[in-house]
Amino acid sequence: MPAHVPNAGLSRRDLLKRTGGLAALAAFTAACGGNTGRPSSGGGGGGGEKVNLSQWYHQYGETGTQQAATKYAKAYTDANVSVQWTPGDYGTKLSSGLLSNKGPDVFESQLNIGMVKSNQVVALDDIMADVKDDFQPGDLATNTVDGKIYGIRMIVDPQVIYYRKSLLDKAGIKPPETIDDLISAAKELTTNKVKGIFVGNDGGNALGGPALWSSGGNYLTDDHKPGFTDERAAKAFGKLHELYASKSILLGSPTDWTDPSAINQGLVAMQWIGMWAVPGMQKALGDDLGVFAFPALDAQGKPAVYSGGWTQFVSAKSPNVDAAKKFVKWLWIDQEDDQEDWCLNYGFHIPPRKSLAAKAAKLQSGVAAETVKLTGDYGHTDNPAWTPKMGTAFTDLLTNVIKKGADPAGEIAKAEKTVNTELSRLFG
Amino acid sequence: MSAPVETSAPAEPAASGARRGSRRQKGIAGNALWFWVFVGPFVLGLLIFSYLPIIWSLVLSFFEAYNTATPSKFVGLQNYVDMLTDHNFLSSLGTFTIFAVFIVPLTFVLSLVLALLVNQVKIARAFFRSVFFLPTACSYVVASLIWRLSIFNGVRFGLANTVLGWFGVDGIAWLSTVSPPWYWLPIVTVRLWLQLGFYMILFIAGLQRISPTLYEAAYVDGAKPGWQVFRYITLPQLRATSVAVLILNLIAAYQAFDEFYNLIGNVNYARPPLVYLYGISLGSIQDLGHGSAGALILAVIIMIVTLLQSRIFGFGKAGD
């Protein structure tokens, strides 16, 4: 190129080479990189520097929760804690993250024995020792394997059925006491504009556990055998199909059962949902809101509440396990104000600490108080021996029974086989 | 004859030739350098992110590997046996077959029809080409969400149900109704919308390769425009393109994931192989031994079917 051309220093070929080279380099470095959620300033830890910790959350639906989580992390002065907030399929991302050392140092999840056996989480008995008695036994049990506590319960999320009082009153219906009552109520409340109940777009898989409990069964027995195989369990699953086939349940809602939009928008009279949605429902419906537990299968059964929630864990693959444990203790044991804020100022959750739950003013009236009572009376927590593989087999059972009307006994036999294989692998 | 010429060759031209050779060698070396600058990172990426995982997957498929990507216990062929007798895995292959039966012929016919129409347009051809090609640029996830949330949601204000309402028909829970299996309609239509444009472009390229003299000769011989010309000239001339479209389509059908996962989730009545394997390996189950065995079985099936398809249609023969 002649010298008098202004950009003589950069021919088209040069430009192509350089930009191409840069693009290739960028692509390569991007491929090699990975967003771990930790601050970019390096691993830290040496020479008196603060260590960097990455804390992973799923995306909570309630406004302000992400800012709150970030605020707590920033307030911690002994380490640089970054918060990674994950919309969408958090479980899968977390599972993949825990396979590598690029995963979180601290994360929320639910415990299953596989995480312990594959050494993904560390025991937290030392930091729990002083406050163990302040936690509900169920919340300890759900995080205990072989006598060791692996997680600190952050929130308790009871799942129940909330309903529009006015619609039930208008139809002259009382809150159902048996599953048959629930089916009848759903039918009676169904009009051409409003469906009786919303239990999820999958037709009611979330009700599988409560239906099982309401029949007197359980996922696993105390001696690690399938607890969902008797005739009463089959009857309960059959009732879920009856509810589905009654054409009184809402299907195909733009949001699923974890979001209160369906009941708030007047699409249904009743909705299966967690207590986290109570503030949102109260805002939309005012006092026109009642609650009942999943009803008993029959006179022999008992109502059931799924006492779900989230627990904080420390990853065994963290390069800073001690620092991570220290942070977890600070946030979920020492910082009672933050725990109260987290449980009560966004969605409603029952604080796992008995001492905090006792003084939670927002949970002492209305449907929130009723939900807390129902949880105390009929709550069931997860069994850590129930692995995701068992869960998938159980969900397949429910899908086949509820949606396809398959014979519950036959489907139970199929799921039982998978569960037994898993139990043999885990417990010999 | 050449020796005297070589010995008598003047020194300077020889030196000049050497310099030219040197420059050429330098040029070749430079080209090689730039080749590796451009291609190297991608080759490295391919090795690290494709070939290494495939090899690692092969290793894992012979081991027990729960919640870990490190082989923990050698189980021989047990994972393969388990997968081949797993009714869920076999059922996922059944789901794929149903999907392929819908999507492959529909995509083939509709993209060919679109290509024929767009190719015949006299004005604004580029515009129509772009309009039909544009959805190809859309993410499967985004399109699936639009289908699920706006068009095919089951409430009365969903687009499809609103249209049904105009005709006095009750709304349908498109994605939740198993009997009849309405969920196939959103699943198939979203993929059609997303991929028709791409295959249309392939057919247009094929159409433009057909020599006009063939048509002229056909007309001279008395062929009637329309079906006769299409049947005896256009379609045979598009054989290579058609086979490529069929093969690509079938492979893409095997790899169906996004629309199923985002429209109806991981449900056993409509779970293609990739969704099932994803659930086993990378989902909460984290059983990488069985997942790897299943992935390799699927890869072998795809290879066999592709080879059979190529053999049957004579893809790659001389003259294609």
Side-chain angles (χ1 to χ4, degrees):
Chain A
M1 188 175 279
H4 63 268
V5 177
N7 63 345
L10 196 65
S11 69
R12 272 185 304 180
R13 182 173 294 179
D14 285 340
L15 180 69
L16 189 67
K17 282 175 180 173
R18 288 176 196 183
T19 50
L22 276 174
L25 189 65
F28 179 66
T29 49
C32 289
N35 183 3
T36 66
R38 291 187 186 89
S40 55
S41 55
E49 281 178 30
K50 285 185 195 173
V51 298
N52 295 324
L53 297 176
S54 166
Q55 185 183 24
W56 285 16
Y57 286 88
H58 80 289
Q59 182 182 30
Y60 285 72
E62 300 86 49
T63 310
T65 43
Q66 185 176 9
Q67 291 75 12
T70 310
K71 185 181 77 181
Y72 310 147
K74 272 189 183 165
Y76 187 62
T77 52
D78 289 351
N80 301 315
V81 182
S82 64
V83 168
Q84 190 157 121
W85 197 256
T86 304
D89 191 355
Y90 172 73
T92 299
K93 182 180 174 180
L94 177 65
S95 298
S96 306
L98 292 176
L99 289 180
S100 73
N101 56 7
K102 300 262 183 193
D105 300 289
V106 178
F107 62 95
E108 59 170 14
S109 186
Q110 291 88 25
L111 185 70
N112 78 75
I113 193 169
M115 294 160 75
V116 176
K117 290 212 173 246
S118 53
N119 197 29
Q120 289 186 333
V121 287
V122 297
L124 303 177
D125 296 270
D126 49 348
I127 60 174
M128 285 287 284
D130 294 340
V131 289
K132 204 172 152 186
D133 293 341
D134 198 24
F135 282 84
Q136 294 288 354
D139 294 333
L140 289 173
T142 196
N143 289 309
T144 301
V145 171
D146 293 335
K148 287 184 179 173
I149 302 170
Y150 287 89
I152 304 173
R153 191 78 142 165
M154 302 154 62
I155 46 173
V156 175
D157 286 328
Q159 291 170 26
V160 283
I161 297 171
Y162 290 95
Y163 64 93
R164 298 276 303 275
K165 279 182 181 173
S166 59
L167 294 179
L168 266 72
D169 289 347
K170 196 175 157 191
I173 299 170
K174 286 185 178 170
E177 291 180 358
T178 64
I179 301 184
D180 283 331
D181 291 347
L182 179 69
I183 297 167
S184 304
K187 276 186 194 170
E188 284 184 56
L189 292 164
T190 297
T191 66
N192 59 351
K193 291 267 163 92
V194 179
K195 287 283 187 183
I197 189 168
F198 183 42
V199 292
N201 287 322
D202 56 17
N205 286 350
L207 303 183
L212 175 60
W213 292 319
S214 82
S215 74
N218 210 337
Y219 288 105
L220 295 173
T221 59
D222 291 340
D223 55 347
H224 303 312
K225 288 184 178 147
F228 56 90
T229 55
D230 67 9
E231 282 178 13
R232 286 181 57 75
K235 187 179 169 190
F237 301 145
K239 290 288 173 192
L240 293 182
H241 170 67
E242 225 176 283
L243 178 64
Y244 173 80
S246 70
K247 297 193 182 300
S248 57
I249 64 171
L250 174 68
L251 293 169
S253 172
T255 54
D256 219 330
W257 64 269
T258 51
D259 183 281
S261 298
I263 193 167
N264 287 355
Q265 290 171 1
L267 294 173
V268 287
M270 305 182 279
Q271 179 167 345
W272 172 261
I273 195 169
M275 195 176 75
W276 59 81
V278 164
M281 289 189 289
Q282 284 177 329
K283 197 175 167 191
L285 307 171
D287 292 334
D288 188 16
L289 194 64
V291 61
F292 59 89
F294 185 87
L297 172 62
D298 48 30
Q300 282 175 264
K302 272 175 75 176
V305 173
Y306 174 46
S307 183
W310 290 90
T311 294
Q312 192 83 169
F313 298 95
V314 171
S315 168
K317 288 201 169 73
S318 165
N320 300 299
V321 166
D322 289 337
K325 281 170 77 171
K326 201 175 158 192
F327 168 65
V328 164
K329 179 180 182 300
W330 174 83
L331 181 54
W332 298 110
I333 293 176
D334 300 338
Q335 297 299 108
E336 292 189 354
D337 289 348
D338 289 345
Q339 291 153 38
E340 196 179 337
D341 178 61
W342 189 244
C343 289
L344 303 171
N345 286 345
Y346 311 99
F348 281 172
H349 316 268
I350 302 176
R353 301 279 293 276
K354 292 179 200 167
S355 53
L356 282 178
K359 59 182 183 184
K362 288 180 180 175
L363 304 184
Q364 286 169 2
S365 62
V367 285
E370 288 175 58
T371 311
V372 172
K373 184 173 185 317
L374 290 172
T375 310
D377 293 345
Y378 306 119
H380 295 263
T381 49
D382 291 314
N383 182 342
W386 184 255
T387 64
K389 198 169 220 173
M390 299 179 195
T392 302
F394 190 73
T395 305
D396 286 349
L397 173 171
L398 292 171
T399 303
N400 289 341
V401 171
I402 294 173
K403 281 199 163 177
K404 294 183 181 173
D407 170 37
E411 295 302 318
I412 284 172
K414 279 196 245 172
E416 186 183 8
K417 197 177 154 197
T418 305
V419 171
N420 276 329
T421 307
E422 272 287 272
L423 289 170
S424 303
R425 178 175 72 83
L426 294 166
F427 300 104
Chain B
M1 191 177 89
S2 63
V5 176
E6 277 179 12
T7 50
S8 64
E12 196 177 322
S16 166
R19 275 203 301 275
R20 276 202 302 274
S22 162
R23 247 171 43 205
R24 196 161 59 235
Q25 277 176 351
K26 199 176 164 189
I28 290 165
N31 283 342
L33 173 72
W34 282 112
F35 172 82
W36 285 112
V37 166
F38 279 107
V39 175
F42 297 103
V43 169
L44 209 58
L46 194 69
L47 287 172
I48 295 171
F49 299 111
S50 291
Y51 294 147
L52 202 61
I54 289 171
I55 293 166
W56 197 243
S57 185
L58 181 67
V59 173
L60 279 179
S61 70
F62 296 108
F63 286 83
E64 196 177 274
Y66 289 93
N67 293 80
T68 174
T70 309
S72 43
K73 181 182 158 194
F74 183 73
V75 292
L77 291 171
Q78 191 55 47
N79 288 337
Y80 288 92
V81 173
D82 290 347
M83 291 307 289
L84 288 170
T85 53
D86 177 356
H87 69 271
N88 278 321
F89 184 58
L90 299 176
S91 149
S92 76
L93 292 172
T95 298
F96 149 74
T97 306
I98 296 170
F99 182 57
V101 164
F102 280 126
I103 202 72
V104 176
L106 272 175
T107 305
F108 182 87
V109 171
L110 294 177
S111 57
L112 179 57
V113 168
L114 268 183
L116 289 167
L117 290 175
V118 171
N119 204 41
Q120 281 179 2
V121 169
K122 301 289 180 208
I123 51 165
R125 185 187 293 179
F127 169 76
F128 286 109
R129 231 169 19 208
S130 306
V131 163
F132 291 119
F133 185 72
L134 215 54
T136 306
C138 182
S139 143
Y140 268 66
V141 177
V142 171
S144 301
L145 289 177
I146 293 168
W147 252 243
R148 180 160 68 88
L149 299 177
S150 303
I151 302 174
F152 287 106
N153 73 44
V155 293
R156 59 179 182 271
F157 46 78
L159 182 63
N161 282 344
T162 303
V163 172
L164 288 181
W166 294 339
F167 299 97
V169 179
D170 285 343
I172 294 170
W174 299 97
L175 294 163
S176 305
T177 307
V178 176
S179 173
W182 281 116
Y183 54 84
W184 281 115
L185 187 68
I187 286 175
V188 170
T189 52
V190 73
R191 178 166 278 223
L192 278 177
W193 184 75
L194 284 162
Q195 70 176 15
L196 274 185
F198 174 72
Y199 293 110
M200 177 199 75
I201 292 290
L202 291 190
F203 275 123
I204 287 176
L207 287 170
Q208 289 176 349
R209 281 183 62 230
I210 303 174
S211 169
T213 53
L214 284 174
Y215 291 108
E216 287 161 12
Y219 294 140
V220 168
D221 288 345
K224 291 172 190 161
W227 171 249
Q228 217 170 24
V229 168
F230 174 75
R231 166 76 181 81
Y232 293 104
I233 304 289
T234 309
L235 208 52
Q237 288 295 312
L238 285 177
R239 193 170 71 95
T241 311
S242 301
V243 175
V245 166
L246 285 174
I247 289 175
L248 289 174
N249 236 315
L250 198 67
I251 292 173
Y254 268 113
Q255 293 175 332
F257 179 86
D258 292 305
E259 65 272 61
F260 281 88
Y261 194 75
N262 289 292
L263 284 172
I264 53 174
N266 189 350
V267 292
N268 60 350
Y269 55 82
R271 184 161 55 192
L274 280 198
V275 172
Y276 183 59
L277 295 176
Y278 172 79
I280 288 180
S281 312
L282 304 172
S284 54
I285 292 179
Q286 294 279 300
D287 177 359
L288 289 158
H290 284 101
S292 298
L296 286 163
I297 291 170
L298 187 64
V300 169
I301 292 173
I302 292 176
M303 279 193 279
I304 291 171
V305 170
T306 307
L307 289 172
L308 279 177
Q309 210 179 6
S310 304
R311 177 64 68 91
I312 290 164
F313 291 114
F315 188 54
K317 277 184 182 169
D320 278 346

